[in-house]
Amino acid sequence: MRTFENILRCTDNIIRFALAFLMSLLILDVFWQVIARFLMSRPSSFTEEVARFLLIWISLFGGAYAYRLNSHLGFDLIVKNLSRKNANALFKLCCVLVFTFAVLVMMVGGINLVNMTWMLEQRSPVLNIPMAYIYSAIPISGLLFLFYSVWFFFNVPSSSNFPGSK
Amino acid sequence: MTSLILFGVFACLLLINLPIAFAIIFATLITMLLTIDTLPALITIAQRLAVGIDSFSLLAIPFFILAGYLMGQGGIAVRLINFAKVLVGRLPGGLALVNVISCALFGSISGSAVAATSAIGGFMVPAMEKEGYSRSFSTAVTVTSATTGLLIPPSNVLIVYSLASGGVSIAALFVAGYLPGLLVTLLLILASALCFRRYRIAPTSMEIVEPFWSSLFGAVPSLFLIILIIGGIIGGYFTPTEAGVIAVLYALALSLLVYKEIKTDDLHAILVKSVVTTSIVMLLIGASSAMSWLMSYEGMPQAISQVLLGLSENPLIILLLINLTLLLVGTFMDMTPAVLIFTPIFLPVAELLGISPLHFGIIMILNLSIGLCTPPVGSVLFVGCSIGKVNITEIVRPILPLYAAMLVALFLITTFPSISEILPRYFGLI
């Protein structure tokens, strides 16, 4: 468990840094689009595509990190009124479901999607980068979902409260 | 039949507190496996998760969320409250009115009801308690008026609706939201002015510390943000997404350099917080996009609208049914997935009845807003109660008159389409 915890803390730091970095990049990118159009009266062609791809990466990795913080929105009315033991059992069941989701949809579905677009040589229209690179965020973030669901299964948080963020 | 399986599985998974996004994906997956082979089904869902959020307009959402956090922590909320105080603080029930107006102002510039509840409620509930109002009444006022920001632009939900409706212009939706949003605000002000006495335990005279001009000047830079963003969008200078980035940089400059309430060290945490909030919304959008893909593949919207249209000849009754369904949906489902899932189902019916997609969007958002402050799930209600430190059962009585005000607004807005359509028409957006 100790090594597990260390890995967790380490990935937390990396992800927090990466998310803040990608978000700053996103802000600069769209700001550049405004500047390029107003000040240099030469619309930038690549910024829109970069921004859309950044959003996909940010959302998938952020989604995994949000799961790690247990802050995805849920309907906790029934669970709240259960005994501690039953609530924990349901929480573990949810971990199993998220694990299944990570393996089936994000890993199996994601890897096959990446493979398929790689074989078909699908490229983005403006930047001309392989779409497989963009879709690779799906299996990679799937790995994170998988990791966190195992962690939660063995370490049920003391209170699975309603999150305050939206 | 397939729609029964889809919604049945979804409901069961919700009940065991599986996060909504995963519940949507599982329900979709199980229903999909009935008609589609396993591997193609898995690939389709994985692809929808990414493609569903691959849209330039959706980018406005992270920007407005970040701008909202910057404004909440950067001292903009306090200045808006001071501004509202000098406006209406001296009227009877002054502080309750201040609460409504501050929530509307903050909700409108941050575009998030939860952000408004926590930013304004955190100040206003203790302040109202000091003036002798009961906590439960103060919380009820905060919770209901925080939702007005969802109609008053810029609003993230309207952007999501634009996506779900397949191309109603965001600029038109933003402009359309003004009058309905102000109408709800006005009715909430009326309702709280009429019933504040019952919840005021120890009446004291309200003191307004700040002189008129200084609080006005304090708020001007914050209020200017609204003009900058909406003016820019209506005038066609920038897209809503670009307006979002302008809002971020403006709020950053304001709180970092002018109000000086955020330090550069805080920025990392604020960025991560905004990304987490964004991702929660985006994962919901990706999941809902997989679900709506399946629904249109199975022809569910057509089937459901046929059933609906078969129920009655009278368009008003059908509209009433849609309203009631949405009210019900809003009480147990978060706004973003509700908009994404129910727009493709109800919008075609509404259009057959001669309701414009623009008007329908406003009706839908207001319906779901009411759901946000209704037990058992209303997320704004929950955040409000945790900030006001009251139980949900305590809030039920004081929220009833405010709730009635919102229903009156819903009735008026549904019956008179011109409330939502007159401004966009004036600006030539529809």
Side-chain angles (χ1 to χ4, degrees), chain B residues 4 28 35 56 98 104 122 138 161 212 237 283 321 331 387 404 412:
Chain B
L4 281 184
T28 308
T35 44
F56 192 69
V98 170
S138 320
Y161 176 77
F212 182 80
Y237 295 108
L283 203 66
L321 281 175
T331 61
I387 279 168
L412 290 174

Side-chain angles (χ1 to χ4, degrees), chain A residues 67 89 91-93 95-96 148-157:
Chain A
Y67 176 61
F91 186 85
K92 289 195 173 193
L93 176 62
C95 294
V96 174
Y148 294 141
S149 63
V150 173
W151 165 258
F152 274 139
F153 187 86
F154 292 107
N155 299 276
V156 178

Side-chain angles (χ1 to χ4, degrees), chain A:
Chain A
M1 259 319 139
R2 166 91 4 115
T3 38
F4 210 143
E5 237 165 73
N6 283 336
I7 300 172
L8 191 72
R9 199 166 306 128
C10 194
T11 42
D12 276 357
N13 285 332
I14 297 173
I15 291 178
R16 289 175 64 84
F17 177 79
L19 289 178
F21 175 74
L22 289 175
M23 185 70 191
S24 320
L25 216 60
L26 184 61
I27 296 168
L28 292 178
D29 176 81
V30 179
F31 188 51
W32 174 250
Q33 176 168 323
V34 181
I35 289 187
R37 207 178 53 234
F38 275 103
L39 298 186
M40 314 192 311
S41 53
R42 194 178 52 195
S44 165
S45 56
F46 69 93
T47 44
E48 185 172 326
E49 214 174 81
V50 171
R52 278 174 23 223
F53 294 160
L54 275 174
L55 182 67
I56 294 179
W57 276 72
I58 289 176
S59 305
L60 289 172
F61 285 102
Y65 187 64
Y67 176 61
R68 147 101 190 90
L69 299 177
N70 201 14
S71 46
H72 279 291
L73 299 168
F75 178 92
D76 59 351
L77 197 77
I78 290 171
V79 178
K80 250 188 201 158
N81 294 318
L82 291 177
S83 70
R84 186 86 216 131
K85 208 178 121 207
N86 289 338
N88 280 0
L90 276 187
F91 186 85
K92 289 195 173 193
L93 176 62
C94 288
C95 294
V96 174
L97 288 172
V98 174
F99 181 85
T100 320
F101 154 78
V103 172
L104 286 181
V105 175
M106 306 218 59
M107 310 279 285
V108 176
I111 289 173
N112 276 291
L113 177 69
V114 171
N115 259 338
M116 202 170 74
T117 45
W118 183 256
M119 302 296 243
L120 294 171
E121 293 187 25
Q122 270 185 30
R123 282 168 179 273
S124 73
V126 181
L127 296 166
N128 201 31
I129 47 173
M131 287 305 283
Y133 289 176
I134 287 114
Y135 291 140
S136 65
I138 303 170
I140 300 175
S141 62
L143 211 59
L144 285 172
F145 272 110
L146 189 148
F147 176 68
Y148 294 141
S149 63
V150 173
W151 165 258
F152 274 139
F153 187 86
F154 292 107
N155 299 276
V156 178
S158 51
S159 70
S160 38
N161 279 330
F162 192 86
S165 53
K166 191 184 138 197

Side-chain angles (χ1 to χ4, degrees), chain B residues 379-397:
Chain B
S379 53
V380 175
L381 183 74
F382 275 94
V383 175
C385 285
S386 77
I387 279 168
K389 297 188 189 71
V390 288
N391 273 328
I392 291 181
T393 41
E394 294 171 60
I395 203 178
V396 173
R397 269 188 74 87

Side-chain angles (χ1 to χ4, degrees), chain A residues 16-17 19-21 23-24 27 58 65 69 165-166, chain B residues 61-75 247-249 251-253 255-256 260-279:
Chain A
R16 289 175 64 84
F17 177 79
L19 289 178
F21 175 74
M23 185 70 191
S24 320
I27 296 168
I58 289 176
Y65 187 64
L69 299 177
S165 53
K166 191 184 138 197
Chain B
I61 293 177
F63 292 143
F64 283 123
I65 287 175
L66 176 57
Y69 279 134
L70 286 169
M71 287 185 266
Q73 294 191 9
V248 167
L249 294 172
L252 187 67
S255 38
L256 211 58
K260 293 186 179 139
E261 297 197 17
I262 286 182
K263 290 183 222 52
T264 34
D265 297 348
D266 306 332
L267 286 181
H268 180 74
I270 294 178
L271 275 174
V272 173
K273 207 163 105 180
S274 69
V275 168
V276 168
T277 310
T278 303
S279 316

